[in-house]
Every structure is written in structure tokens, then in C-alpha cells.
């Protein structure tokens, strides 16, 4: 009895125990598949343990390990290797500019870099003098089971699993730290809510340095599903993309809205029928306009659609809305209600809870919270603060900087980021509200609104050749006159950042 309880307790302390259980059930099933190769759960475990053994032999415990490889199966094996040895991983994009890589290295001071022979040469030009592990050799190495067990026993659930770097406003990237516990809680919620089983197949879009990928990776490892890593170039070709989904029998996708919008824009469903294939369409990371979601819903009415919301700092997502009613094209889609074991506090300017439909900042409380920014106490103190509603015991909340309000159903509606809230001619305006209005126009596919502080102008970026007068006339039924864009800029293509979201930093340079 005692042994059983102990085993259960340990099971919940490290994500690799999920992998051990899954290997027992479905050893030969494909876990992850990329363009070049596939890895079964058993192979994944074996290779990861070989990498872990190398890390343990180097006396690494609770140390940062950089993964520097092209996106693919091997990156995920390396993640698991770090986890088995109770170290924590930080993936660095191979396309990242050298100056940013160096800034990350300065913050992280990694103890080890896992890479390939070819990429090691590139990495050697960065400011790093430490050790390397070459993936191809190390994944075939010997496994020290006892040492791995000892390391996992020493580790606890609040130890770090990964550090993901997001852009910092000061130019110094911030390393968001996430523990095993946070991922375990989140994935328990995902797999229960969406009833994920080994019958399921995910179509991964998110880069592995972007936290949306956590859902695909760990739901797969826990439930014994399969994740297909979709080749990046397919996201620019909707028809081949949908053909890929059909061919691989992918039934679940979790993408950024921009990727779903491209498919809706070209109405690729007319060429490829996914009605017998797709079961769940989940999205997170930016606003999903109802206009494009309505195209998806029209062609695939039986799919479960869910809008997940959250920043990296709270382990991917903290609220969700499973689409359960009709929306007109110009209505906002709710971000919904808190996930299990999560409290959302919507705080007004006086740090009190908002009343009625008052706007406030979304703040989060719960085990999903990051431990803070790695090696950056100052930035950590700014965003992770004492719960102002609890003066009695230390209790941290994360201030997201996102403005929201409740609707009449008690669901949360995302309005905009605090920094996208402007004062224009004395009016307080959420730029997101203008974007929602413009997105609802028939002709518009993607749009983005910025404020030109210097010239005091609302600037709208679109991809279509449309006159400002026409747009303003159309949206004047949706927003007040003072919110009408003062300038419209047509771009051949909206710039996207590495995560696949609209790149507002690049657009700002065009003002
Ligand atoms: P990241 O940390 O890169 O995932 O970015 C998090 C930010 O993306 C949030 O603070 C929001 O501003 C935005 N975001 C994430 N999910 C949603 C969503 N479902 N709807 C609107 N904005 C979102």
C-alpha cells in the first residue's frame, strides 16, 4: 500500500514517468513523425535515456541544457533526455540572429549544448565555451538505468522542465521558466477536457521554442497519441496542407489563428474534404476573428473548436472557450473561462475586481505560473506580484498586461494588450476593437492596427487594395467615429514573427 502511494507520488513529479507508462502500453507505436523520420515510444525512451545518461555522467543536475537543432523528432528526444536526467532544456531556433543567441547565452549560461556535427560549427561562433553533446552519437550510447532512477528520485515536481525565451521590451530576451508540475497540471487538463487517447493524431504547427507546442508534445507522450510535425512550407500552401492532414489522418490541430486564417482565406476546403478526418481544431496565441472561424465552421460543422488563451508565463494557456453557439462575423470570440485549478482575477486600475462589463487586466493565480524569468529578478518582480486581494500570506499572481472584460454569459472577452490601449483625441481606444471591426469585412483577410504616437494617427495595415474611405464607411456601423483609422497601408504580405503571429515590431518600423 505504502509502496503504491509512493509510486503514485513519484509519477507526478517528472513528465518522463508518463513516457514510461506509455511505453509499457504501446511501445511500437509512432510517437513523433517528421519529414525524414519517425520515432516509436520505445525508441524515444531509449534514445532519451542514452542522452540522460551522458548528462548524468557529466554531473549535470538541475542545469540548463540548450537544444540547438533543426525542428524535428531529435529535438523532442533531447527534451526528454534533459527531463530524464532532471536537467531543464531551452531550445534555440537555428535561424535566430547571432546577437540574440548571444543575449540568451548570457542570461542562461548553459551547462551543455545538444546539437549536430554541422550545427556545432555555427554554435562555436557564439559566446559559449562550454561542452557539447552530439546528438547522433549520444542517442546511441549506453543507458545507466540506476543513475537515471536516482536522479529522478532526487528531483521534485517544482524543478524546472524548460526555459523558453520571449522577446523582452528592453531588447534582452526573457527566459520564462516552467516546472514539471505546471506541465503535468496543464496536460492533465488538456487530455481530460478533449478526451485525448492513443487513437488520436496531432498535426503540429508550433515551433518547439514556442509554448503552444507543449500541448502537442506532452498530450502525445501522456496518452500515446502520435504527433506529425507538419513541414513549415506547407503553411503557405493551404491545399497541400489539408491534403497532408488527410493523408496522415490527423484528427487534432492546435495552431495559431494566423495559420487557420490562411486556410480559410483561400477556402481550401473546397478542394480537400476533411469532414471524416478532423475532430478538433484548437487555437491559441492571438485573436481568432469569427469571420474566418465561420468559414471553418461552415465547411467542417462537426469539429470541436476551442479558443485557448494564455501567455508563455502560465504554461501555454489558462482560459478556454469551447465554441458552442453561433457568432456573427463582427462579434468577438470569447476566451472563456479559467481552466481547472486556475483562478483568473480581472483587476481594475485600483487593483480591485472589476464589476459588470468594466475593463480590467487579466491576472492569473495557480500552479500554471512560471517560477519567474531566469536570472532576471527585476523583470520577475514587475510581472509576478503579490495578490493584492490577499494581504495575509505570500501568494503570487502573474499580471498578463492583457485587457479583458466579462460578457453577459460570464465569459471573458479579450480586448487588447495594455500596450495596445491608446489615448486618441482624448478617447481611450483598444486597437484590437478596430481590428475586430475591420476583420469582419468581406474583402479583408489579415489586418493589424497600430498607433503612430508622433503623428497621433491610427494606422491600419491590410493586404488588400482598399480605400480608406471605403473601409471607414463600412466599419462606421461597428465603431465610433474617433476609432476610424487615419491611415491605411496596403502590404503585399503581412510580416509574421517566428511563432507565426503578426509581427507588430516589424510593422512599427513602417510607421
Ligand atoms: P505568448 O506568450 O507568445 O504565447 O503570447 C501571449 C499573448 O498572446 C497573450 O498575452 C495575449 O496578448 C495573446 N493571446 C494569446 N492567446 C490569445 C487568444 N486566444 N486571443 C487573443 N489573444 C491571445
Amino acid at each position: 500500500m505504502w509502496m503504491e502511494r509512493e509510486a503514485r507520488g513519484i509519477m507526478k513529479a517528472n513528465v518522463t514517468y508518463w513516457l514510461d507508462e506509455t511505453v509499457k502500453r504501446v511501445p511500437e507505436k509512432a510517437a513523433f513523425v517528421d519529414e525524414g523520420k519517425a520515432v516509436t515510444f520505445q525508441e524515444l525512451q531509449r534514445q532519451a535515456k542514452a542522452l540522460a545518461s551522458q548528462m548524468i555522467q557529466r554531473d549535470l543536475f538541475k542545469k540548463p541544457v540548450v537544444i540547438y537543432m533543426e525542428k524535428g523528432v531529435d529535438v523532442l528526444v533531447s527534451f526528454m533526455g534533459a527531463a530524464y536526467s532532471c536537467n531543464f532544456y531551452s531550445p534555440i531556433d537555428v535561424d535566430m540572429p547571432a546577437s540574440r543567441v548571444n543575449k540568451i547565452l548570457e542570461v542562461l549560461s548553459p551547462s551543455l549544448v545538444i546539437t549536430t556535427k554541422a550545427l556545432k560549427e555555427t554554435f562555436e561562433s557564439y559566446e559559449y565555451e562550454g561542452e557539447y553533446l552530439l546528438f547522433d552519437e549520444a542517442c546511441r550510447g549506453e543507458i545507466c538505468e540506476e543513475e537515471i532512477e536516482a536522479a529522478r528520485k532526487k528531483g521534485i515536481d517544482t524543478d524546472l522542465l524548460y526555459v523558453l525565451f520571449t522577446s523582452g521590451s528592453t531588447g534582452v530576451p526573457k527566459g520564462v521558466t516552467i516546472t514539471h508540475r505546471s506541465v503535468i497540471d496543464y496536460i492533465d487538463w488538456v487530455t481530460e477536457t478533449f478526451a485525448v487517447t492513443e487513437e488520436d493524431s496531432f498535426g503540429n504547427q508550433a515551433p518547439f521554442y514556442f509554448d503552444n507546442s507543449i500541448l502537442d508534445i506532452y498530450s502525445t507522450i501522456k496518452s500515446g497519441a502520435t504527433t506529425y510535425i507538419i513541414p513549415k512550407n506547407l503553411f503557405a500552401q493551404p491545399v497541400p496542407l489539408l491534403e497532408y492532414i488527410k493523408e496522415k489522418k490527423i484528427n487534432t490541430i492546435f495552431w495559431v489563428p494566423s495559420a487557420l486564417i490562411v486556410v480559410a482565406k483561400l477556402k481550401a476546403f473546397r478542394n480537400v474534404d476533411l469532414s471524416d478526418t478532423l475532430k478538433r481544431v484548437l487555437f491559441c496565441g492571438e485573436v481568432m476573428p469569427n469571420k474566418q472561424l465561420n468559414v471553418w465552421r461552415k465547411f467542417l460543422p462537426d469539429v470541436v473548436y476551442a479558443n485557448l488563451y494564455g501567455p508563455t508565463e502560465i504554461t501555454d494557456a489558462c482560459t478556454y472557450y469551447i465554441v458552442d453557439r453561433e457568432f456573427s462575423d463582427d462579434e468577438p470570440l470569447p476566451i472563456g473561462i479559467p481552466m481547472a485549478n486556475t483562478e483568473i482575477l480581472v483587476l481594475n486600475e485600483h487593483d480591485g475586481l472589476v464589476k459588470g462589463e468594466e475593463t480590467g487586466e487579466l491576472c492569473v493565480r495557480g500552479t500554471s505560473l512560471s517560477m519567474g524569468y531566469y536570472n532576471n529578478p527585476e523583470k520577475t518582480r514587475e510581472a509576478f506580484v503579490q495578490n493584492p486581494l490577499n494581504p495575509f500570506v505570500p501568494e503570487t499572481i502573474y499580471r498578463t498586461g492583457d485587457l479583458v472584460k466579462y460578457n453577459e454569459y460570464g465569459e471573458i472577452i479579450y480586448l487588447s494588450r495594455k500596450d495596445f490601449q491608446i489615448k486618441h483625441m482624448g478617447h481611450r481606444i483598444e486597437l484590437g476593437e478596430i481590428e475586430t471591426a475591420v476583420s469582419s469585412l468581406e474583402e479583408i483577410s489579415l489586418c493589424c492596427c497600430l498607433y503612430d504616437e508622433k503623428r497621433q494617427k491610427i494606422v491600419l495595415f491590410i493586404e488588400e487594395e482598399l480605400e480608406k474611405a471605403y473601409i471607414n464607411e463600412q466599419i462606421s456601423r461597428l465603431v465610433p467615429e474617433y476609432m476610424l483609422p487615419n491611415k491605411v497601408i496596403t502590404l503585399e504580405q503581412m510580416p509574421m514573427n517566428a511563432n507565426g503571429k503578426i509581427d507588430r515590431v516589424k510593422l512599427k518600423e513602417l510607421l
Side-chain angles (χ1 to χ4, degrees):
M1 189 63 185
W2 183 85
M3 285 294 284
E4 248 176 56
R5 264 207 306 274
E6 189 197 44
R8 270 210 304 274
I10 292 172
M11 280 284 294
K12 288 283 183 183
N14 188 311
V15 292
T16 53
Y17 287 104
W18 277 337
L19 179 54
D20 293 353
E21 289 303 303
T22 302
V23 168
K24 283 184 208 151
R25 281 191 293 118
V26 282
E28 300 300 335
K29 189 166 177 276
F32 299 106
V33 184
D34 65 22
E35 259 178 295
K37 65 167 121 165
V39 72
T40 63
F41 284 100
Q42 192 159 50
E43 258 314 282
L44 170 64
Q45 183 192 48
R46 207 198 56 72
Q47 293 184 22
K49 282 188 170 179
L51 293 177
S53 303
Q54 294 273 346
M55 289 181 234
I56 293 170
Q57 272 166 25
R58 287 170 162 79
D59 255 345
L60 301 183
F61 180 67
K62 300 207 319 192
K63 291 283 193 293
V65 173
V66 160
I67 317 295
Y68 190 70
M69 281 190 276
E70 295 281 354
K71 187 181 183 186
V73 166
D74 297 347
V75 174
L76 303 174
V77 173
S78 307
F79 286 0
M80 287 299 101
Y84 266 118
S85 59
C86 282
N87 290 292
F88 52 95
Y89 61 81
S90 189
I92 293 186
D93 177 13
V94 293
D95 294 324
M96 191 179 280
S99 64
R100 200 174 137 88
V101 175
N102 284 331
K103 279 184 190 146
I104 290 178
L105 292 175
E106 199 183 323
V107 175
L108 194 64
S109 296
S111 300
L112 185 73
V113 173
I114 304 182
T115 187
T116 60
K117 214 168 174 186
L119 283 169
K120 181 169 177 256
E121 272 177 38
T122 314
F123 211 88
E124 276 167 346
S125 64
Y126 303 144
E127 284 154 29
Y128 173 74
E129 312 264 281
E131 288 194 55
Y132 289 88
L133 203 60
L134 294 183
F135 181 87
D136 283 338
E137 292 163 25
C139 74
R140 291 195 210 105
E142 274 189 33
I143 296 174
C144 319
E145 291 283 0
E146 275 174 27
E147 280 84 347
I148 291 175
E149 258 340 284
R152 283 202 295 185
K153 268 217 169 111
K154 225 165 43 161
I156 62 171
D157 65 350
T158 50
D159 287 338
L160 298 186
L161 173 61
Y162 62 77
V163 179
L164 293 185
F165 280 85
T166 65
S167 57
S169 48
T170 54
V172 179
K174 291 183 293 188
V176 180
T177 58
I178 296 291
T179 65
H180 287 262
R181 166 57 43 207
S182 302
V183 171
I184 290 166
D185 266 12
Y186 175 52
I187 296 302
D188 278 346
W189 176 84
V190 171
T191 49
E192 276 165 36
T193 305
F194 297 104
V196 180
T197 71
E198 62 198 49
E199 305 295 323
D200 290 313
S201 290
F202 289 85
N204 161 271
Q205 170 264 325
F208 297 149
Y209 50 82
F210 178 35
D211 73 334
N212 270 12
S213 61
I214 297 305
L215 187 145
D216 305 332
I217 300 169
Y218 290 98
S219 299
T220 296
I221 288 174
K222 183 186 169 193
S223 66
T226 299
T227 285
Y228 290 90
I229 301 166
I230 304 178
K232 198 173 165 199
N233 60 334
L234 286 185
F235 286 93
Q237 312 166 53
V239 174
L241 174 63
L242 297 194
E243 279 165 351
Y244 179 94
I245 290 175
K246 201 175 173 75
E247 184 202 316
K248 307 287 185 209
K249 299 194 174 62
I250 289 167
N251 70 1
T252 308
I253 55 173
F254 180 48
W255 295 354
V256 283
S258 291
L260 297 175
I261 290 170
V262 173
V263 174
K265 194 166 92 179
L266 296 181
K267 307 227 166 50
F269 311 103
R270 287 196 184 129
N271 304 67
V272 188
D273 178 12
L274 290 183
S275 50
D276 291 332
T277 315
L278 263 188
K279 203 160 112 185
R280 312 176 188 100
V281 173
L282 319 178
F283 39 89
C284 181
E286 56 187 346
V287 171
M288 178 72 210
N290 263 311
K291 194 181 80 187
Q292 268 88 10
L293 183 61
N294 282 339
V295 176
W296 276 82
R297 293 179 70 184
K298 184 176 147 218
F299 283 97
L300 297 169
D302 298 327
V303 161
V304 171
Y305 295 93
N307 185 17
L308 276 60
Y309 155 89
T312 312
E313 285 84 342
I314 52 78
T315 320
D316 197 25
C318 55
T319 76
Y320 72 110
Y321 172 66
I322 297 180
V323 180
D324 61 355
R325 57 180 190 271
E326 298 301 316
F327 289 93
S328 60
D329 285 357
D330 54 14
E331 266 180 289
L333 185 68
I335 56 169
I337 55 171
M339 292 177 177
N341 207 21
T342 299
E343 186 182 348
I344 301 295
L345 309 168
V346 182
L347 299 180
N348 62 24
E349 282 153 0
H350 311 292
D351 272 350
L353 292 174
V354 292
K355 294 196 181 73
E357 295 202 3
E358 195 188 338
T359 299
E361 182 180 358
L362 191 152
C363 302
V364 193
R365 191 174 82 84
T367 52
S368 64
L369 255 61
S370 157
M371 302 283 267
Y373 301 115
Y374 195 77
N375 197 9
N376 194 340
E378 209 175 294
K379 287 276 169 215
T380 301
R381 268 194 301 272
E382 277 172 27
F384 297 87
V385 299
Q386 171 68 22
N387 179 359
L389 307 180
N390 182 357
F392 309 110
V393 286
E395 181 182 66
T396 306
I397 59 167
Y398 173 67
R399 302 199 76 117
T400 62
D402 287 328
L403 295 174
V404 298
K405 65 175 185 185
Y406 287 100
N407 66 9
E408 70 265 39
Y409 301 96
E411 297 155 346
I412 302 168
I413 300 288
Y414 174 89
L415 297 171
S416 73
R417 285 206 52 77
K418 232 170 160 182
D419 15 331
F420 300 157
Q421 181 183 296
I422 57 161
K423 269 282 167 98
H424 178 57
M425 291 156 49
H427 300 284
R428 183 169 144 176
I429 298 174
E430 318 294 351
L431 291 173
E433 216 178 317
I434 310 175
E435 290 168 0
T436 306
V438 176
S439 305
S440 72
L441 302 187
E442 178 74 36
E443 302 87 341
I444 299 286
S445 47
L446 274 179
C447 74
C448 182
C449 241
L450 292 185
Y451 193 56
D452 184 345
E453 290 280 351
K454 215 163 78 198
R455 298 177 191 84
Q456 304 263 303
K457 279 189 163 62
I458 298 172
V459 182
L460 170 71
F461 292 90
I462 53 173
E463 289 183 329
E464 292 75 18
E465 293 285 350
L466 287 178
E467 293 289 326
K468 181 179 91 184
Y470 171 79
I471 295 175
N472 286 355
E473 192 206 318
Q474 295 291 313
I475 63 168
S476 58
R477 63 189 168 88
L478 300 170
V479 293
E481 201 187 327
Y482 60 81
M483 285 174 71
L484 297 178
N486 307 106
K487 192 172 169 187
V488 175
I489 298 180
T490 295
L491 301 171
E492 210 163 285
Q493 204 174 18
M494 203 63 82
M496 295 291 172
N497 68 19
N499 295 345
K501 302 195 214 178
I502 293 176
D503 192 337
R504 287 170 190 270
V505 179
K506 275 234 173 78
L507 288 178
K508 233 179 179 149
E509 289 165 10
L510 303 177
L511 287 179

